[in-house]
Amino acid sequence: MGPESDQTTACISVFQYLEPLDAFVPAPLYRAVAQDLGLVEWNAVVWIGRFFLLDNDFGEHWFDGADLPDELREVARGMGIDPDEVLILRPEVFQNGRDGPQHTDAARKRFWTDVLCSLCLSLDTLADEARLINEINRVRFPEDFRPDLEERLNHWRARLLAPR
């Protein structure tokens, strides 16, 4: 996997792959940024799924932690991970049957696992989405509105671009 942050682009790795579970959790740095900027709904990556799956609300269901079997829930606990935070990739949601599918579920799962292990988003992308969500919240969910969003973005920009 790539670095959590690139000094020139402030690119943030989104996922941490958990090989014993064949599943993901949001990477710690991404989770902190997403939480602070208001990008967390019922999990921290719902909005990303919408982009991957035709830019609609169906995309929020690209992962499902509820499918984690009891024995893997225990493995997650043993790893110090809340089982409800574990995200299981559902390859069937990456095809719609209109002209295919061209690949098996196993091939789609392997492909998307590779993609997600390397997924890195710029702070600019996160900022744009945070501004969009914050404007929606201003009108529809005022309790979630962040009047200091730009200050929060400046904080993360300074932290991620600071010389090490």
Side-chain angles (χ1 to χ4, degrees):
M1 288 211 256
E4 282 215 340
S5 171
D6 178 303
Q7 298 235 5
T8 59
T9 62
C11 191
I12 301 168
S13 293
V14 175
F15 294 102
Q16 178 181 351
Y17 180 66
L18 307 172
E19 192 168 344
L21 302 175
D22 190 21
F24 295 89
V25 292
L29 177 60
Y30 170 77
R31 179 191 310 270
V33 173
Q35 184 69 43
D36 192 46
L37 300 182
L39 294 172
V40 176
E41 293 178 44
W42 56 274
N43 73 47
V45 298
V46 166
W47 71 275
I48 298 169
R50 290 187 185 114
F51 273 107
F52 275 115
L53 296 165
L54 304 176
D55 200 16
N56 61 48
D57 272 348
F58 175 74
E60 74 182 64
H61 303 289
W62 67 318
F63 277 118
D64 195 350
D67 291 342
L68 194 63
D70 288 339
E71 62 273 9
L72 291 182
R73 293 177 83 72
E74 290 306 314
V75 172
R77 284 187 192 98
M79 296 171 69
I81 296 168
D82 178 352
D84 293 331
E85 297 288 318
V86 175
L87 304 168
I88 298 171
L89 186 61
R90 297 175 50 218
E92 68 274 9
V93 303
F94 290 95
Q95 65 87 23
N96 63 13
R98 287 190 181 153
D99 187 20
Q102 301 297 316
H103 301 92
T104 64
D105 278 353
R108 277 193 308 281
K109 183 165 187 330
R110 185 174 41 254
F111 173 82
W112 284 106
T113 297
D114 288 349
V115 167
L116 297 180
C117 282
S118 63
L119 182 62
C120 180
L121 296 176
S122 71
L123 186 56
D124 290 339
T125 296
L126 298 177
D128 288 347
E129 188 67 15
R131 288 181 187 112
L132 174 69
I133 290 172
N134 205 41
E135 185 57 28
I136 291 167
N137 288 344
R138 185 182 63 76
V139 175
R140 296 183 63 204
F141 307 105
E143 66 279 6
D144 294 327
F145 177 69
R146 286 171 166 72
D148 63 342
L149 181 61
E150 292 305 318
E151 290 84 12
R152 291 170 187 245
L153 288 166
N154 288 334
H155 161 80
W156 285 108
R157 199 168 281 112
R159 179 175 169 193
L160 295 170
L161 297 177
R164 298 177 202 250

